[in-house]
Amino acid sequence: MLPVLDARRRILASLSPLPAETVPFGDVSGRVLAEPVHATRTQPPADFSAMDGYAVQSKDLPNSPEHLAIAGESKAGQGFEGRVPPGSAIRIFTGAPVPIGLDTVVIQENTKLHPDNHVEICGPVTVGQNIRKAGMDFNQGDALLEQGTTVGPRQLALIAAANVCKVCVYRRPRIALLSTGDELVNVGEVPGKDAIIDSITPALACFIDQNGGVAQILPHARDTLSAIKDTISSLAPCDMLVTIGGASVGDYDLVRSGLGESGMTLDFWKIAMRPGKPLMFGTLGETPVLGLPGNPVSALVTAYLFLGPAIDRLTGRPPREPALIEASLTKPLSSNGPREAWLSTNATFTGGRWQATPHPIQDSSVLSSLAAANAFLVRPPYAPAIESGAPVHIHLLDRSLIF
Ligand code: AMP
Ligand code: MG
C-alpha cells in the first residue's frame, strides 16, 4: 500500500497545466491566470480627495483659525474646472479630483461654514493631508496579479479597476465522472428494494465545479466488464476520467480490469489510508484516470485529498497542501492500524487552543458524520492508543473552499 504523500506526488507528477485561452472580463471569475495582468490605466487617475471637506492651498493657512472664501465645488465624477483664486477654498467630496493649485484637504469636521460663503478652518493642518495621489493604487502598465493566481472577488475588483477587458487564463479541466454499480439510481428516481441513490456523482460534480473544472457526467455503468469497456470506448475527449466504485477486491469490482483491458497503464492501486484504501491511478492514452472508492465517505475524502490538488495542477495553480495544526483530543482513541487515518472531526477553538472531537461513527459509508465535520483528525499509521487531552494533528476544512 502506497503512503498518502507518495500517492499525491505520483498523481501530481503526471499532470501539467492545460493550455491557456483568452476570456472576456465577464468570464474570469474563478479562473486561474495564465499570464500576469497589467493595468491599462492609473488609479486613481489624478490626485483625489480621501474625505469630505475643503480643498485648500496650504500656504494660505499661516495661522489657524483662518477664513477662506468658497470659490466652487469638486465632486466625484465632476471636478472643479478653472483656476482657484488665491486665498480661497473649494468644497470637495470623497473621490473628487483636487483642483489644480490646491494641495491639502481639510476634513469637514475641522471647519465651520459661515453664512457669507466663507469657511473657517479650525484645528491644525498638515500639508498634503487627505489626498490620494495619482497612481497611489497602481500605475498604467504595472503588473497587478501574478500568473497562477485564482481570480476571486478581490482579484476581480483589481482587474475591473484596471479596466482590463480580456484575460489570459488556463482552460478549465473537463473531468468525466463514471459511477459504477448495479444498485445505483439517480436522485429523484423511484428506487427499487435494494437500490442505492448515487450521492457521489452529484457531490463530485459540485466539487469539480467549485474547484474550477467542468464535470461531464456519464451514465452509470453496470457491474460487468463489457458495460465498463463500452463506456470507456465511447468516452468523449476529457482532461481526466474519475471513476467511482468497483475499485476493491469483490467479484463485481471490475473497474480496474475494465480499464486495463481498455489499455490503461496502471500507476498505483491501494494506498495506506483509511478511509480510501482502494484508490487507483493510471493513464488511458493521454488521459489520467483516478479511480475513487465507492464508499461515499472514502470517495469524498479521497476527492478532497487527491482530486482537489489534481485540479489545481491542471488549472495552473499551486496544488493545495493539507495543512495540519495541533489540537487537544477531547476523548480517548484506540491504537491506529497500518493506514493513515482521516477521522471526521468537530474542532472548536476554546481556551486558546483547538479541541478535537472525532465523530463516534467513522464508518466509510456514513455521510452524516462527514457532513457534520469541520475538520479531519489525521493519525499516522500504527499510532498508539491515546487519552483525552493528548496532542493530535487536525486539518481544518477551509471555509473559503466549499466542501
Ligand atoms: P464498491 O466500491 O462498488 O464496492 O462500492 C462500495 C460501496 O459504496 C457500496 O455500498 C456501494 O453501493 C456504494 N457506492 C458506490 N458508488 C456509489 C455512489 N456513486 N453513490 C453512493 N454510494 C455508492
Ligand atoms: Mg460497486
Side-chain angles (χ1 to χ4, degrees):
M1 286 187 297
L2 199 62
V4 171
L5 274 181
D6 291 351
R8 173 194 156 91
R9 218 172 283 138
R10 274 159 77 158
I11 293 170
L12 291 179
S14 76
L15 304 174
S16 37
L18 296 172
E21 61 187 8
T22 299
V23 296
F25 172 76
D27 293 338
V28 82
S29 165
R31 304 297 294 270
V32 182
L33 301 177
E35 285 176 7
V37 167
H38 290 93
T40 70
R41 74 196 301 263
T42 294
Q43 179 72 8
D47 293 358
F48 276 9
S49 179
M51 304 294 275
D52 296 321
Y54 293 87
V56 299
Q57 172 60 266
S58 55
K59 72 175 180 339
D60 288 339
L61 303 170
N63 335 291
S64 186
E66 195 75 50
H67 288 254
L68 300 172
I70 303 169
E73 177 183 279
S74 177
K75 61 177 187 169
Q78 197 183 343
F80 176 82
E81 303 287 347
R83 277 178 42 79
V84 181
S88 51
I90 296 291
R91 178 73 170 123
I92 198 163
F93 302 97
T94 305
V98 177
I100 294 164
L102 305 187
D103 62 4
T104 299
V105 170
V106 182
I107 63 170
Q108 197 166 316
E109 293 84 338
N110 289 349
T111 64
K112 210 180 286 173
L113 186 59
H114 289 275
D116 57 350
N117 208 31
H118 274 67
V119 62
E120 183 183 338
I121 308 293
C122 327
V125 171
T126 310
V127 179
Q129 71 185 15
N130 303 317
I131 292 179
R132 297 172 177 152
K133 300 295 281 178
M136 180 184 177
D137 196 346
F138 51 80
N139 283 291
Q140 185 174 354
D142 282 355
L144 298 178
L145 295 166
E146 287 177 15
Q147 176 253 338
T149 305
T150 305
V151 180
R154 293 174 298 137
Q155 294 75 21
L156 199 72
L158 190 56
I159 294 171
N163 204 17
V164 176
C165 303
K166 286 187 175 159
V167 182
C168 185
V169 293
Y170 291 104
R171 185 162 67 63
R172 279 182 202 277
R174 299 156 302 181
I175 300 183
L177 288 177
L178 174 61
S179 261
T180 65
D182 290 353
E183 75 280 29
L184 298 180
V185 296
N186 287 321
V187 181
E189 281 175 22
V190 180
K193 187 165 65 65
D194 298 327
I196 287 290
I197 313 293
D198 175 3
S199 53
I200 297 309
T201 306
L204 293 184
C206 168
F207 182 78
I208 290 164
D209 180 64
Q210 300 288 355
N211 283 279
V214 180
Q216 299 176 342
I217 297 177
L218 302 171
H220 298 143
R222 295 187 65 79
D223 286 319
T224 64
L225 265 183
S226 60
I228 292 165
K229 283 160 67 177
D230 285 353
T231 305
I232 291 161
S233 67
S234 58
L235 202 61
C238 65
D239 301 302
M240 184 177 239
L241 167 64
V242 174
T243 63
I244 302 150
S248 196
V249 294
D251 292 352
Y252 299 100
D253 289 333
L254 300 167
V255 168
R256 196 167 37 92
S257 42
L259 281 159
E261 288 182 23
S262 304
M264 182 187 74
T265 308
L266 184 69
D267 185 332
F268 66 80
W269 176 50
K270 287 191 181 170
I271 58 169
M273 180 174 167
R274 188 168 52 107
K277 177 171 147 188
L279 189 80
M280 180 200 77
F281 184 67
T283 31
L284 185 67
E286 296 285 288
T287 310
V289 182
L290 183 64
L292 303 183
N295 274 306
V297 174
S298 315
L300 288 172
V301 176
T302 50
Y304 185 75
L305 276 182
F306 301 103
L307 180 57
I311 299 175
D312 287 340
R313 172 58 49 86
L314 292 171
T315 48
R317 61 188 164 218
R320 71 199 68 173
E321 309 249 8
L324 298 182
I325 57 170
E326 221 179 68
S328 291
L329 189 64
T330 63
K331 60 185 203 183
L333 278 180
S334 55
S335 61
N336 190 26
R339 295 185 271 149
E340 182 173 303
W342 283 64
L343 310 180
S344 297
T345 293
N346 181 254
T348 53
F349 194 71
T350 34
R353 193 168 163 75
W354 284 100
Q355 313 276 346
T357 309
H359 199 280
I361 303 173
Q362 293 292 338
D363 191 279
S364 59
S365 68
V366 175
L367 279 171
S368 46
S369 313
L370 180 62
N374 65 344
F376 291 113
L377 192 157
V378 185
R379 302 191 77 197
Y382 301 111
I386 39 176
E387 292 304 323
S388 175
V392 288
H393 281 111
I394 60 169
H395 168 72
L396 287 174
L397 289 170
D398 184 349
R399 281 185 218 190
S400 67
L401 206 159
I402 300 166
F403 176 62

